[in-house]
């Protein structure tokens, strides 16, 4: 909708908007040069999203994790805006009862898949300071790799049930099949929940009551 094209490719740019349940009252929240995508809400009402940031950045390592208020104010880094690692932070969701986030550590010139990890900003927000690979838990080195996380077990769209258990889209190493939905813990123990030989199954969300994030009243005066 923002009628922009990625600087280095023939791809339309996506930015973040709000609207009501009927698709009315569209308001643009982000005015970024290239993509902002996969917004999710934290338990305290912030919006997490991946932002492809070209300003003062190189071509290869520009996809950090950002946060903002639901009215578009307070846009700032959550993790990795001044770093080479992780190359891209995708499909992030806040872990209930913590300030941590589960996400997919991935590459830039790759598909949206990679290795599963947890980000803990209390330990730091750059490189591997607060980044920990899980499933299984292992050493997390800060490396400069464009196609990061593309070998071995492959993950997408984690949904945290707790700090140690997750629903996740997963394809085991060596498999030529489709992605499927699994229950998995941080050590990599897993149980298959849903699969289909004809199409990948992904983006699991539990149908269960959960606390509504507290509303953050808008501070924007659109008359200005």
């Amino acid at each position: 909708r923002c009628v922009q094209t990625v600087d280095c490719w023939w791809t339309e740019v996506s930015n973040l908007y709000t609207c009501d349940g009927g698709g009315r009252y569209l308001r643009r929240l982000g005015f970024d040069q290239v993509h902002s995508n996969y917004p999710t809400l934290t338990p305290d009402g912030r919006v997490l999203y991946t932002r492809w940031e070209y300003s003062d950045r190189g071509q290869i390592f520009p996809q950090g994790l950002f946060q903002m208020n639901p009215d578009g104010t307070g846009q700032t880094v959550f993790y990795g805006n001044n770093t080479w690692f992780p190359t891209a932070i995708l499909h992030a969701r806040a872990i209930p009862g913590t300030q941590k986030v589960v996400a997919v550590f991935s590459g830039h010139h790759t598909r949206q898949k990679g290795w599963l990890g947890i980000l803990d900003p209390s330990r730091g927000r750059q490189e591997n300071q607060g980044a920990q690979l899980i499933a299984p838990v292992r050493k997390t080195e800060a490396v400069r790799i464009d196609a990061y996380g593309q070998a071995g077990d492959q993950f997408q769209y984690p949904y945290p049930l707790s700090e140690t258990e997750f629903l996740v889209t997963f394809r085991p190493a060596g498999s030529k099949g489709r992605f499927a939905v699994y229950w998995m813990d941080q050590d990599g123990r897993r149980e298959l929940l849903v699969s289909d030989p004809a199409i990948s199954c992904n983006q699991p969300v539990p149908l269960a009551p959960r606390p509504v994030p507290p509303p953050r009243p808008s501070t924007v005066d659109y008359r200005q």
Side-chain angles (χ1 to χ4, degrees), residues 35 37 50-52 57 59-64 84-91 103-116 133 143-151 153-156:
H35 304 304
N37 53 43
T50 296
R51 176 169 158 177
W52 181 343
R57 299 297 301 270
Q59 181 187 1
I60 306 299
F61 302 90
Q63 295 194 57
W84 298 92
F85 177 84
T87 306
I89 303 171
L90 308 177
H91 308 161
V104 172
F105 299 176
S106 184
H108 180 57
H109 291 102
T110 62
R111 302 289 185 183
Q112 289 210 354
K113 60 185 181 67
W115 294 339
L116 195 62
L133 289 167
V143 294
R144 301 184 183 187
I145 299 175
D146 179 14
Y148 183 82
Q150 300 304 295
D153 291 344
Q154 295 293 283
F155 297 84
Q156 296 176 314

Side-chain angles (χ1 to χ4, degrees), residues 57 64-65 77-86 89 119-121 123-131 142:
R57 299 297 301 270
L65 190 62
V77 66
F78 183 88
Y79 200 95
N81 189 45
N82 190 29
T83 179
W84 298 92
F85 177 84
I89 303 171
L119 299 173
D120 182 358
R123 295 168 46 203
R125 296 182 186 268
Q126 309 298 339
E127 295 285 353
N128 59 348
Q129 293 172 343

Side-chain angles (χ1 to χ4, degrees), residues 144-197:
R144 301 184 183 187
I145 299 175
D146 179 14
Y148 183 82
Q150 300 304 295
D153 291 344
Q154 295 293 283
F155 297 84
Q156 296 176 314
Y157 306 110
Y159 193 103
L161 303 174
S162 69
E163 195 171 349
T164 59
E165 296 182 78
F166 312 89
L167 300 176
V168 68
T169 301
F170 177 70
R171 186 175 68 195
S175 171
K176 297 182 179 179
R178 308 288 184 175
F179 278 90
V181 175
Y182 285 76
W183 169 92
M184 192 172 297
D185 71 8
Q186 67 176 1
D187 295 319
R189 289 184 290 264
R190 62 182 185 260
E191 181 176 342
L192 175 64
L193 303 180
V194 180
S195 66
D196 189 315

Side-chain angles (χ1 to χ4, degrees), residues 35-100:
H35 304 304
S36 297
N37 53 43
Y38 205 76
T40 59
L41 246 112
T42 65
D44 63 1
R46 290 169 293 142
V47 178
L48 289 176
Y49 60 101
T50 296
R51 176 169 158 177
W52 181 343
E53 178 61 85
Y54 256 147
S55 298
D56 297 323
R57 299 297 301 270
Q59 181 187 1
I60 306 299
F61 302 90
Q63 295 194 57
L65 190 62
F66 275 69
Q67 59 188 339
M68 68 177 175
N69 296 318
D71 63 1
T73 61
Q75 297 187 19
T76 185
V77 66
F78 183 88
Y79 200 95
N81 189 45
N82 190 29
T83 179
W84 298 92
F85 177 84
T87 306
I89 303 171
L90 308 177
H91 308 161
R93 284 188 181 273
I95 298 174
T98 77
Q99 294 299 311
K100 302 176 184 179

